[in-house]
Amino acid sequence: MALTLYGGLRSRASMPRWYMAERGIAYTWTVLDLEAGEHRAEPFTAINPFGKVPALVDEDPALPGGRLQLFESGAILLYLAERYGGELGSPAERALAQQWVLFANATLATALFVPSSREREFPRLMEVLDAVLAKGPLLGDGWSVADCAVNAHLAYLPIFFPQIDLSPWPHVQATIAATQARPAYRTVMGLA
């Protein structure tokens, strides 16, 4: 078996890299030169024809055709959680994880990175998320793929939007601090 993750520095590839570091999943990290357009040309477009990162290739004779190619950080995270992370043993666990990963990549990402949504949706989402995070990890007792997806986006806040006052949401602030203190996160993000 061989996993290869393709991505660029400061891209959504950091989410699956962080997940694999937390779970001790061995992989090869292939950095593409995004400025040179390496992600929009062969051989990478044979893996993701849309020319976006991240992408994952899992080579294993047990897989149909001996190889699986995935793009989209959420799909990659969910695959890793189920196949390599020991998570998502039941349909209910799978559905709950999908709910949070999709929320992170669609709803939360839009509220953060689309200016009109940030003004309109961000405060409401933060209020609800603050109450949810007060209860602990998103899927029960310990850190999971759901926490990876949501917390990675939250940890972007002080990096990309240092002007946003997070003091009304203390559990969001605590989650960001806890995320930034995790050794695997620090290593993947080049902070260690």
Side-chain angles (χ1 to χ4, degrees):
M1 296 189 311
L3 284 174
T4 303
L5 180 68
Y6 296 84
L9 303 175
R10 297 182 63 99
S11 73
R12 283 195 181 190
S14 62
M15 285 186 270
R17 287 184 68 216
W18 177 28
Y19 184 83
M20 289 190 280
E22 290 281 354
R23 294 292 189 231
I25 300 168
Y27 68 100
T28 300
W29 170 229
T30 301
V31 180
L32 301 175
D33 185 343
L34 302 181
E35 287 187 26
E38 200 173 3
H39 59 302
R40 298 189 190 273
E42 288 288 342
F44 183 72
T45 54
I47 297 167
N48 183 355
F50 297 104
K52 302 276 189 179
V53 294
L56 180 80
V57 175
D58 188 356
E59 297 182 89
D60 180 352
L63 292 168
R67 179 180 171 105
L68 176 68
Q69 297 178 173
L70 283 175
F71 55 87
E72 290 296 330
S73 61
I76 293 167
L77 282 174
L78 290 165
Y79 175 73
L80 292 169
E82 187 163 356
R83 180 142 197 240
Y84 293 98
E87 296 184 51
L88 316 183
S90 73
E93 290 171 331
R94 200 167 12 268
L96 288 170
Q98 290 169 347
Q99 166 188 271
W100 284 111
V101 171
L102 292 170
F103 165 81
N105 283 358
T107 305
L108 186 56
T110 300
L112 293 178
F113 294 107
V114 176
S116 62
S117 292
R118 190 167 49 249
E119 293 169 15
R120 190 178 59 251
E121 286 292 309
F122 181 79
R124 185 182 67 78
L125 287 179
M126 290 300 102
E127 185 176 322
V128 174
L129 202 49
D130 195 66
V132 170
L133 293 171
K135 299 172 186 171
L138 295 172
L139 294 183
D141 296 334
W143 187 90
S144 71
V145 67
D147 299 291
C148 180
V150 171
N151 298 351
H153 280 86
L154 292 177
Y156 292 150
L157 282 167
I159 296 167
F160 293 110
F161 307 105
Q163 74 280 7
I164 294 178
D165 177 17
L166 297 174
S167 62
W169 309 292
H171 301 290
V172 168
Q173 283 184 305
T175 297
I176 292 168
T179 296
Q180 292 173 337
R182 292 183 79 89
Y185 179 87
R186 293 186 63 73
T187 298
V188 166
M189 298 304 282
L191 304 171

